[in-house]
Amino acid sequence: MKIKPSFTANKLHLAVISAISAATIFTAQPVFANDDVDPGEDFPIEDIEVIKITGRLRTSASAATEERREQINVADIMGAEQISRTGDSDAAAALRRVTGLTLKDGKFIYVRGLGERYSSTSLNGAKVPSPDPTRNVVPLDMFPSSIIESLSVQKSASASKPAAFGGGHVDIRTKAIPADFFFKASISGRYNTNDSDDTYTYNGGSDDWMGKDDGTRAMPSSINGTINQFGGISPIDIVTGSNGAIDYQTAQAMNRDLALDINRDMAIKTESTSPGYSGDIAIGDRWDITDDVVFGVLSAVSYKNQAENYTKLDVELDGDANEVQIENAKDVVGTDSIVQMSGMINLGLEIGYDHKIETYTTYLRDTSDDVSIALEETIDTIGEPNALQVYNIDYEERTLISNQIKGQHFIDFLWDSEFNWMYSDARSQRKAPNELSYTYNVVLDDNNQLLSRNLNTQDAPKYVYSRLEDDSTNYSWDYTLPVEFDNAIVKFTGGYEYYDRTRESYATRLGFDVGLSPTDPNGDILSDDFDDIFSDSNISDDILDIELKDASTDTEDYVAAEKNDAAFFMIDADFDDVWRVYAGVRYEDFRRTTLPITPEGEISDEGGRYELTDYVIAEDDWFPSATVTWKQTDTTQWRFGASKTIVRPDLREVSPVRFQDPVTGFDFFGNPELESSSINNFDARWEYYSDEGNNFSVGAFYKDVAAPIEPIQRISEAGRQLKFYNANSGYVYGLETEFLQNLDFIAGEDSVWSEFFIVGNLTLGDSEIEIEPNGEIDPTNETRRMTGHSQWVANMQLSYDADNELHAATLVYNVFGERIAYGGRGGLDDVYEQPFHSLDFTYSFFPTDGMSLKFKAKNLLGEKTEYDQQDNIVYAKEPGREFTLQFSYQY
């Protein structure tokens, strides 16, 4: 064995390839293998590998393909130009184009048919916390495509990545320091076919351009002050807490004063829908400080404002397969007013060719103001003229801020070794300062027109104030030593990673308990709008016989913390550029505590069911992984991989608290008895890359999952209330195929067909889990597919790039097979989400080098989201067709 300074040549090889790719992207001119190149004495000409690329988008697609080709693991890459071509506005929508990936609720990615719990997300390689209390992963719709450089989906595990890996790991890479000064700005307008309906809103809504709460929604400080002073807000609490110093009548008046402090300007109304609009600006440059020192900066901001009108159907069934009856049915109309703002600033310092330090600061804010009215019928009122009219206002702010610094250093005097380090801190927050629901009893005529209504005083109007704060720290380092043998270059890498996270989640529920009934002398007040019923005079004069109650329970608040220390070692060996062998092992020491707390701040014992030790998880293990790549020819290669990974339950899943899915409205409960799921993963893939940039691949995968975590409907609970349980066992397997092909083979390179190419992928697979009934669950199917798994997923993209570079167009089709939303119980079949056939079209016109005009049309087939159970539609939502026109300028 001998050590040689060979790593510099390897770096130069990669630099040349990157330069060639970058040149083709910015010039959109062909690069041919026989072009003259003078690389210098230290870089032999035979080491250069060049791909012939033509066309604006095919250049980008092939560059991403080349990066995938050089990965040591099974991975897929999507570049910024590809995202722009498909017209997707955020990371979530773009990722559904990747092989084996499907989109859930417009926010969450399912990799290889596995739910979002089986995927993980990082931002520029650093873990970030989720601002959504109902999900383990970050909602990917928060990342606008304008700040994304590329998206990487790693589908086979490696020692350098967290062991909490199931279906795949998504790394969102924001735009890097530019090679030269640039400025880019765009503005767009949006129209949806649902915009022909009126927007639902209210006086207390966010009508300013920032969409941010102005403080009027916040829970009054007087309520917290009263709780701290007297131990509660009810008249009894006040009397008891004052030791009898305050009489009951005075306490009632104090309680009414608290009700007056609450925002009651919440009557729902309609107004004309305004067209949605968005825009973004990015600017960057770099400066030569000295001959060897370069400093660069990139900054970008993005903004979107739109009102999304929708109609929704929500049905609950009861009975069994032989006799199905409708327990409850809701027809919902509503509007989700969305404002998204993001900003980032990235700094870079390059010292010579061997040292680079970069910082990334990313800020994302997403506000949603969802206002809806539902006509609800129960088993007792179906077919009758009377029904319930349910009003809901759900406002939330989600924010994420991430700060990161990372360095890359090539150390020539230590045998061209490489040292990388990273430090990141991130904070996510969710505020829902004023969620409100109230109900009217209504009488309808034969045409479902309203004849009369009265506030339902049996179901008191409810206010919910909730907040979540999630802070995380993540840092790591790794060191790589390359050693050259006679027929191989071997890289030895060792490293360490630390991650800690703390979370606080609180919710306070208040209710207006009204004693007034329609038969009282003032009963006609109850037919008024909400703000008129709960007017200052009606409360202060005690017309309503009102009492403000604290309806908070011991099953909503929790605090949690987790830490994970990890060390890893791996070997990457390249044998004569024919065989590439990777092997690694990762050790993780994971600790977590999740404590449910009462509104008084004490640890909840859940009725004595759980011990304190049930809330603590401490586990450590070794996680090996290996991949072998055989470069069969210059254009084909095989990959084989095996690994052991784990999927741990999320914080909210192991705390016995209640939370509601914001999309479906289903209630979920955590389970401290959940166990982590160990997974054995196996992958194989054959890949073909032509000199012309076309590619084709076929792969297979198999995953053996021990104790998979599944949401199951509980026996004892009315309605759809689900809890998390471990199934006995499970597995998932499948085949994946993907291709990119220019159509010039139809009539030759000089024909119009050379301006077209197609991209497609198809995933076929199956899964199975076994679930046993217990005292809480009675699953209809004890053996079934995994929740969220589709047996097939297909994508097809037909693209056109004009030779004169003035026009580009893409037609994109995406569909997934039906998948289980949640399991049925008591004889009712499982609930299946039906296929959604998405057909989108994008056309771009480039009148000059710096200007572009883009037209986008989404959901051209007018599809809607549907869940079926026993041949009944139990959930449906109509997103409408969407059209966007965007103008961009770049200098």
Side-chain angles (χ1 to χ4, degrees):
M1 182 188 75
K2 54 184 177 179
I3 298 176
K4 293 183 178 180
S6 60
F7 196 48
T8 302
N10 190 37
K11 286 189 294 179
L12 187 55
H13 169 78
L14 294 176
V16 171
I17 296 299
S18 299
I20 293 172
S21 299
T24 56
I25 290 175
F26 287 105
T27 62
Q29 297 296 321
V31 177
F32 299 97
N34 60 355
D35 285 351
D36 291 332
V37 179
D38 183 12
E41 295 180 357
D42 294 332
F43 190 65
I45 186 69
E46 60 267 21
D47 285 348
I48 301 179
E49 181 179 359
V50 182
I51 296 178
K52 176 185 175 183
I53 303 172
T54 58
R56 183 188 303 268
L57 179 64
R58 288 195 63 218
T59 296
S60 173
S62 296
T65 299
E66 181 64 15
E67 181 182 351
R68 184 187 73 171
R69 182 181 185 179
E70 296 300 323
Q71 294 282 322
I72 61 173
N73 305 101
V74 177
D76 289 300
I77 311 293
M78 173 171 273
E81 286 292 331
Q82 293 169 279
I83 298 172
S84 175
R85 166 53 69 95
T86 56
D88 296 316
S89 60
D90 55 65
L95 282 168
R96 65 192 168 121
R97 317 297 183 189
V98 175
T99 308
L101 271 63
T102 57
L103 186 62
K104 175 70 172 177
D105 301 332
K107 304 176 182 181
F108 306 102
I109 288 297
Y110 283 19
V111 181
R112 289 177 164 175
L114 296 168
E116 74 267 7
R117 78 167 63 255
Y118 294 95
S119 64
S120 55
T121 304
S122 61
L123 180 63
N124 297 311
K127 295 178 66 175
V128 289
S130 173
D132 191 327
T134 67
R135 296 293 194 277
N136 184 34
V137 295
V138 180
L140 294 177
D141 64 325
M142 292 186 67
F143 295 89
S145 57
S146 58
I147 71 170
I148 297 173
E149 179 67 29
S150 64
L151 299 169
S152 170
V153 182
Q154 184 173 318
K155 295 180 179 178
S156 64
S158 61
S160 59
K161 292 291 192 296
F165 179 98
H169 177 83
V170 177
D171 186 31
I172 302 171
R173 306 161 175 175
T174 57
K175 292 186 182 296
I177 304 304
D180 203 350
F181 172 80
F182 89 100
F183 171 82
K184 184 177 181 180
S186 69
I187 186 170
S188 64
R190 166 193 175 272
Y191 171 77
N192 189 289
T193 52
N194 289 342
D195 291 350
S196 57
D197 302 322
D198 289 333
T199 290
Y200 287 83
T201 185
Y202 56 101
N203 290 334
S206 300
D207 54 3
D208 66 318
W209 67 276
M210 293 186 65
K212 189 175 177 61
D213 175 43
D214 57 5
T216 58
R217 296 182 177 85
M219 188 173 74
S221 59
S222 58
I223 292 178
N224 275 329
T226 302
I227 293 174
N228 293 334
Q229 183 176 0
F230 301 107
I233 62 173
S234 71
I236 293 294
D237 291 332
I238 295 173
V239 171
T240 304
S242 68
N243 294 321
I246 299 175
D247 60 39
Y248 189 78
Q249 189 173 11
T250 303
Q252 283 183 307
M254 294 174 63
N255 179 269
R256 289 194 297 271
D257 288 340
L258 295 178
L260 288 171
D261 290 340
I262 292 178
N263 177 26
R264 290 156 285 118
D265 192 9
M266 305 283 277
I268 293 178
K269 60 182 181 179
T270 59
E271 61 183 26
S272 298
T273 303
S274 301
Y277 59 94
S278 63
D280 55 75
I281 298 174
I283 186 171
D285 201 358
R286 60 191 296 149
W287 299 270
D288 294 327
I289 306 301
T290 68
D291 290 341
D292 294 326
V293 179
V294 177
F295 174 74
V297 62
L298 174 70
S299 179
V301 294
S302 178
Y303 175 81
K304 180 168 73 173
N305 188 325
Q306 63 189 42
E308 299 180 352
N309 298 333
Y310 62 84
T311 59
K312 188 166 64 174
L313 174 68
D314 194 356
V315 177
E316 295 177 17
L317 301 181
D318 201 0
D320 54 35
N322 298 319
E323 184 177 352
V324 179
Q325 62 184 19
I326 297 177
E327 185 76 14
N328 185 283
K330 295 179 184 177
D331 283 304
V332 186
V333 291
T335 302
D336 190 6
S337 298
I338 296 172
V339 176
Q340 291 182 336
M341 302 179 68
S342 66
M344 74 171 192
I345 181 167
N346 298 342
L347 307 177
L349 182 67
E350 297 177 5
I351 304 174
Y353 294 103
D354 294 332
H355 303 280
K356 178 189 291 186
I357 299 175
E358 296 173 295
T359 67
Y360 301 87
T361 297
T362 305
Y363 173 78
L364 306 172
R365 182 165 69 82
D366 180 344
T367 66
S368 168
D369 204 357
D370 196 321
V371 183
S372 65
I373 300 176
L375 189 63
E376 179 178 355
E377 295 187 86
T378 67
I379 190 173
D380 298 322
T381 63
I382 292 175
E384 300 293 329
N386 55 307
L388 299 175
Q389 195 173 44
V390 183
Y391 291 73
N392 277 289
I393 298 173
D394 298 311
Y395 172 86
E396 68 171 2
E397 296 179 15
R398 300 180 300 174
T399 59
L400 171 64
I401 183 167
S402 171
N403 296 292
Q404 181 182 359
I405 182 170
K406 61 195 304 185
Q408 183 180 33
H409 308 276
F410 296 101
I411 309 172
D412 291 338
F413 63 87
L414 291 179
W415 309 287
D416 287 331
S417 59
E418 181 180 356
F419 179 72
N420 300 304
W421 56 271
M422 179 274 295
Y423 177 86
S424 171
D425 69 73
R427 164 173 288 192
S428 66
Q429 188 177 64
R430 178 187 181 269
K431 293 198 305 181
N434 190 348
E435 297 174 289
L436 172 64
S437 64
Y438 54 92
T439 303
Y440 285 89
N441 296 315
V442 298
V443 178
L444 310 172
D445 62 17
D446 293 339
N447 297 318
N448 267 358
Q449 297 299 309
L450 186 66
L451 295 178
S452 65
R453 70 171 186 171
N454 283 285
L455 186 74
N456 186 338
T457 56
Q458 302 301 311
D459 186 10
K462 301 179 186 66
Y463 285 84
V464 182
Y465 305 87
S466 60
R467 65 180 176 89
L468 175 146
E469 292 184 359
D470 204 328
D471 295 303
S472 70
T473 300
N474 185 202
Y475 56 83
S476 65
W477 60 263
D478 63 74
Y479 178 76
T480 299
L481 176 67
V483 179
E484 184 174 336
F485 296 86
D486 290 336
N487 63 341
I489 297 177
V490 182
K491 298 177 184 178
F492 298 91
T493 301
Y496 170 80
E497 182 177 3
Y498 174 81
Y499 179 72
D500 73 42
R501 175 185 182 190
T502 59
R503 172 180 283 190
E504 297 181 3
S505 180
Y506 302 101
T508 300
R509 295 178 180 268
L510 303 177
F512 285 149
D513 192 355
V514 178
L516 185 67
S517 71
T519 59
D520 292 326
N522 295 315
D524 59 340
I525 293 175
L526 299 180
S527 65
D528 293 340
D529 288 338
F530 180 84
D531 53 349
D532 292 328
I533 295 175
F534 296 97
S535 65
D536 290 352
S537 60
N538 285 345
I539 293 177
S540 58
D541 296 342
D542 201 18
I543 301 297
L544 300 174
D545 186 20
I546 189 175
E547 180 180 325
L548 179 64
K549 290 191 172 182
D550 187 347
S552 302
T553 69
D554 292 351
T555 60
E556 292 184 280
D557 300 345
Y558 67 96
V559 294
E562 67 180 32
K563 292 185 178 182
N564 192 18
D565 286 280
F568 60 90
F569 177 76
M570 56 188 190
I571 300 173
D572 180 12
D574 193 327
F575 296 92
D576 289 334
D577 203 30
V578 176
W579 289 93
R580 188 175 183 184
V581 178
Y582 155 80
V585 63
R586 183 181 182 93
Y587 172 78
E588 289 195 353
D589 182 11
F590 179 82
R591 294 91 71 199
R592 172 191 288 164
T593 301
T594 307
L595 298 176
I597 56 176
T598 67
E600 293 75 31
E602 300 176 352
I603 298 176
S604 172
D605 64 358
E606 186 68 7
R609 177 175 181 178
Y610 300 111
E611 300 290 337
L612 187 61
T613 53
D614 292 329
Y615 303 131
V616 179
I617 296 176
E619 54 188 23
D620 63 296
D621 203 351
W622 296 87
F623 300 94
S625 57
T627 303
V628 176
T629 303
W630 174 39
K631 299 180 181 180
Q632 184 179 17
T633 68
D634 290 340
T635 58
T636 61
Q637 63 184 25
W638 294 80
R639 295 184 192 270
F640 304 94
S643 62
K644 176 186 175 182
T645 58
I646 194 169
V647 171
R648 302 182 178 100
D650 187 36
L651 294 176
R652 94 284 189 197
E653 294 176 347
V654 293
S655 183
V657 300
R658 183 184 75 169
F659 60 93
Q660 188 177 77
D661 187 287
V663 178
T664 62
F666 302 163
D667 283 331
F668 286 81
F669 292 84
N671 180 3
E673 297 174 344
L674 281 180
E675 300 176 3
S676 298
S677 303
S678 178
I679 307 176
N680 292 321
N681 310 273
F682 304 93
D683 285 273
R685 185 157 79 175
W686 176 79
E687 301 168 354
Y688 166 77
Y689 304 91
S690 75
D691 293 337
E692 291 75 24
N694 302 319
N695 67 80
F696 180 76
S697 68
V698 178
F701 61 90
Y702 178 84
K703 297 177 181 291
D704 184 16
V705 187
I709 301 170
E710 291 280 310
I712 311 293
Q713 194 170 4
R714 302 166 77 183
I715 297 173
S716 58
E717 302 293 344
R720 278 177 300 212
Q721 297 189 356
L722 299 97
K723 190 173 179 178
F724 296 94
Y725 299 89
N726 286 110
N728 294 345
S729 61
Y731 63 82
V732 58
Y733 63 89
L735 296 173
E736 295 177 329
T737 182
E738 180 179 10
F739 66 90
L740 184 154
Q741 176 65 53
N742 188 275
L743 299 185
D744 56 7
F745 67 88
I746 296 178
E749 294 185 2
D750 296 330
S751 69
V752 68
W753 289 105
S754 64
E755 302 177 30
F756 288 86
F757 69 94
I758 56 175
V759 178
N761 56 69
L762 174 67
T763 301
L764 303 174
D766 205 352
S767 66
E768 183 176 288
I769 58 171
E770 294 183 1
I771 309 173
E772 291 183 355
N774 57 39
E776 286 190 311
I777 60 173
D778 179 26
T780 299
N781 299 311
E782 297 181 23
T783 300
R784 61 167 173 82
R785 294 212 313 267
M786 297 180 71
T787 299
H789 180 251
S790 298
Q791 290 182 303
W792 50 273
V793 180
N795 284 284
M796 183 64 70
Q797 174 181 323
L798 174 63
S799 293
Y800 168 75
D801 276 325
D803 278 345
N804 59 15
E805 298 187 4
L806 293 179
H807 309 277
T810 296
L811 187 67
V812 183
Y813 174 73
N814 169 268
V815 65
F816 58 85
E818 67 176 13
R819 55 195 181 194
I820 296 176
Y822 57 91
R825 67 170 186 179
L828 285 175
D829 197 7
D830 301 324
V831 177
Y832 286 89
E833 182 180 0
Q834 297 303 300
F836 188 98
H837 298 267
S838 171
L839 184 64
D840 304 335
F841 174 75
T842 303
Y843 166 75
S844 298
F845 174 57
F846 306 93
T848 68
D849 289 341
M851 291 185 184
S852 67
L853 192 66
K854 180 181 293 184
F855 170 75
K856 297 184 286 186
K858 297 178 62 177
N859 193 25
L860 289 173
L861 300 178
E863 288 283 277
K864 61 182 178 181
T865 300
E866 282 189 357
Y867 292 6
D868 283 7
Q869 185 179 31
Q870 300 288 156
D871 297 324
N872 291 274
I873 298 176
V874 295
Y875 179 83
K877 189 172 183 180
E878 175 68 62
R881 297 178 176 88
E882 183 176 301
F883 304 93
T884 304
L885 188 63
Q886 180 186 69
F887 173 77
S888 299
Y889 172 78
Q890 179 171 332
Y891 174 78

